Amino acid sequence: MGDMRDNTNSAKDVLTNFDTASANRIMERYAVDARAASDMFTGQGGAKEKDLASRFKQLAATANATSQAPMTKAGFRKALSDVTNECKSCHSAYN
């Protein structure tokens, strides 16, 4: 999860000095990290693990869809908000 925190910090920098390529790379990294986290929990039997796998899978889908779309600063801000809200919902449930 530390990689996602690094992505969030990088995203804040991109919001300050926006460029499309960097914004797309950040969303791609969120998608890759979330897929890896989902894979880590997939196939484990507990309800918590199944929920975590599902949450990370959804996060990956959200970030991936965003990374494939044309990016503007406003669009990136919205996408980042969507991604971080998904992160926060998981932290609220499991911290």
Side-chain angles (χ1 to χ4, degrees):
M1 300 326 121
D3 290 339
M4 287 193 204
R5 184 178 310 119
D6 292 343
N7 285 343
T8 303
N9 290 333
S10 296
K12 291 175 185 175
D13 292 338
V14 170
L15 283 172
T16 302
N17 298 303
F18 183 77
D19 79 271
T20 300
S22 294
N24 284 335
R25 278 193 303 273
I26 286 168
M27 287 298 151
E28 288 169 3
R29 284 196 314 256
Y30 274 119
V32 167
D33 293 344
R35 275 191 300 274
S38 178
D39 290 347
M40 183 175 64
F41 291 108
T42 297
Q44 295 187 19
K48 178 180 177 181
E49 289 80 8
K50 288 178 183 177
D51 183 52
L52 287 167
S54 175
R55 287 174 184 262
F56 280 118
K57 189 175 189 176
Q58 177 59 44
L59 177 60
T62 299
N64 187 57
T66 301
S67 73
Q68 303 304 313
M71 190 71 69
T72 64
K73 186 174 183 176
F76 180 65
R77 185 181 309 280
K78 168 76 169 90
L80 182 61
S81 176
D82 291 346
V83 166
T84 58
N85 283 336
E86 287 187 40
C87 292
K88 289 174 188 175
S89 75
C90 196
H91 284 258
S92 294
Y94 293 107
N95 281 338

